[in-house]
Amino acid sequence: MGSQPDRAPYVGRFAPSPTGPLHAGSLVAALASWLDARVHQGRWLVRIEDVDTPRFVPGADSLILQQLAACGLVPDEAPVYQSQRGALYQQALDQLVTDGLAYPCACSRQDIERALENLGHPRHRHGELVYPGTCRNGLNGRAARAWRFAVGPSRDVLHWHDQWLGEQTQDVAQEVGDFVLRRADGYWAYQLAVVVDDAAQGVTDVVRGEDLANNTARQILLQWALGLPTPRYLHTPLVLGANGEKLSKQNGATALDLTQPLQALAAAGRVLGIPDDQHAATAADWLRHALPHWASISRRCIKPAD
Ligand code: GLU
C-alpha cells in the first residue's frame, strides 16, 4: 500500500521533542533508525520537534544532539527545527481547507464532553475524546478555536503495514474522529507537522517507538489528502520502567549518561536483539559491531509488505 518505490534513496530520521534529555527508551528509536539508514546506505536526519512550545525545555535540543553524538549517532545534515517551519504547515492547512478536508472548530473540551454525553456515548480513547463532529457543518456563530481534519467515511478503516509489528488496522472515524491540525492555542499539531516534514525532507523510512504506532493511520490519511507519498514504517519495542509502563520523561526516566555511551548503546541494543560487544572501546566500534546484527535482525524479523 502506497509505499515508496524500492529505488527511492533511503532517507531516515529521528525526530525528538525537546521536552527533556534522551533516556534509555528514546535511544532505542534513535539507534534503530540510524542502523536501518546505514544498513540501507541511506541518509539519516534529525528533526527537532519543537512545535509544542509550552512543553519545550530550553537547552534540551542541544543536550539531545550531544547525547546522540556521544553515542556516535551524528546526522548527515544540520538538524531542522519545526518551530521555524510554520509557513509550510500553513500551506498544507490552506490546501486542505481549499479541498474541503479541514474545517474550523469552536468546541472546547467541555463542549465536546457535553456533546458526547448528549449523544449517550461518551467515547474515550486512551483518555482522549473522540470528536463528535459538532462543527463539521459550520460554527453556528461561535468563534473558531482550532482546525480539524475531516475524516471521510470512505477512508475510515485504514490498513497499513509495519515492518516490525506486521499488519495494522485502525478505524480512524470511530477510534479517533476528526483530529486537530492546528490547536486552539495556535500551535501546530504533531500530526500535520510530522507529515509535512517527512515529505518535505524526502523521508522514505520512519523508524520510531511503538508508542507512536497508533498515530500512523492519521498520518497516512493526511498524506493521502495532501497528495504526499507514504513512507515505510517500523515501530521499535518500548523500554518499560519499574512500574511496567513505558519508560518516558514523564515517569521519571533518567537522562542518558553522556560519559557512558557504551553502556547506553548496549542497553538499547538488547531491546532490539543486538548482543553486546565487550571488546568495543568506543561508540563507533560498538556501532560497527551492531550493523551486521541489525542487517540480520532485519532479514529475520522485518515483515515485508505482501
Ligand atoms: N516528536 C515525537 C516524539 O518525540 C516523535 C515523532 C515521530 O517520530 O514521528 O515523541
Side-chain angles (χ1 to χ4, degrees):
M1 174 218 65
S3 58
Q4 297 270 341
D6 285 344
R7 275 169 299 137
Y10 186 113
V11 181
R13 63 24 165 216
F14 176 56
S17 303
T19 52
L22 280 188
H23 55 74
S26 34
L27 183 65
V28 173
L31 175 63
S33 76
W34 184 91
L35 287 170
D36 206 48
R38 287 293 174 265
V39 159
H40 291 92
Q41 283 90 43
R43 279 186 306 134
W44 187 67
L45 311 178
V46 171
R47 182 171 70 229
I48 304 292
E49 300 213 320
D50 56 349
V51 271
D52 191 354
T53 313
R55 290 178 59 229
F56 183 11
V57 173
D61 55 333
S62 37
L63 182 53
I64 290 172
L65 294 169
Q66 281 171 37
Q67 289 175 306
L68 289 171
C71 293
L73 308 177
V74 179
D76 294 318
E77 289 172 20
V80 302
Y81 283 71
Q82 286 192 324
S83 54
Q84 291 163 18
R85 298 165 70 82
L88 283 176
Y89 312 144
Q90 185 64 56
Q91 235 172 42
L93 178 59
D94 291 346
Q95 183 183 331
L96 294 171
V97 173
T98 305
D99 293 345
L101 294 171
Y103 63 89
C105 174
C107 298
S108 63
R109 190 179 168 87
Q110 245 183 5
D111 295 333
I112 300 172
E113 272 166 352
R114 214 169 310 125
L116 287 171
E117 258 167 46
N118 290 344
L119 288 168
H121 47 89
R123 287 180 289 165
H124 288 257
R125 179 180 154 273
H126 312 311
E128 281 174 49
L129 300 173
V130 176
Y131 185 64
T134 318
C135 294
R136 257 192 179 220
N137 300 317
L139 295 169
N140 289 319
R142 296 178 305 151
R145 295 162 50 88
W147 287 84
R148 288 183 183 273
F149 180 68
V151 177
S154 58
R155 292 179 263 117
D156 52 5
V157 181
L158 200 118
H159 300 271
W160 58 278
H161 177 78
D162 186 276
Q163 293 190 83
W164 192 284
L165 304 172
E167 299 312 312
Q168 306 289 307
T169 286
Q170 189 175 60
D171 184 334
V172 182
Q174 286 298 314
E175 292 174 43
V176 183
D178 292 350
F179 53 89
V180 170
L181 301 171
R182 187 168 201 170
R183 300 171 5 178
D185 56 14
Y187 294 112
W188 294 102
Y190 157 65
Q191 308 296 351
L192 182 68
V194 83
V195 161
V196 168
D197 283 339
D198 282 339
Q201 296 188 282
V203 169
T204 58
D205 288 76
V206 171
V207 177
R208 61 187 177 191
E210 196 178 327
D211 54 318
L212 294 163
N214 88 9
N215 295 285
T216 309
R218 271 170 280 177
Q219 293 170 14
I220 293 172
L221 287 184
L222 277 178
Q223 289 150 5
W224 290 352
L226 290 164
L228 301 174
T230 292
R232 284 177 290 262
Y233 287 97
L234 188 163
H235 289 89
T236 55
L238 300 182
V239 178
L240 301 183
N243 58 0
E245 283 175 13
K246 180 205 134 187
L247 195 62
S248 68
K249 292 162 199 162
Q250 285 73 30
N251 78 3
T254 47
L256 285 184
D257 183 351
L258 274 168
T259 63
Q260 303 284 347
L262 284 170
Q263 279 181 19
L265 285 167
R270 270 195 297 278
V271 177
L272 297 169
I274 299 169
D276 194 14
D277 178 9
Q278 306 290 345
H279 307 293
T282 63
D285 290 344
W286 193 93
L287 291 171
R288 255 191 305 280
H289 142 86
L291 278 168
H293 288 287
W294 180 257
S296 85
I297 290 164
S298 311
R299 279 193 298 273
R300 274 184 288 119
C301 302
I302 289 187
K303 303 172 177 72
D306 296 331

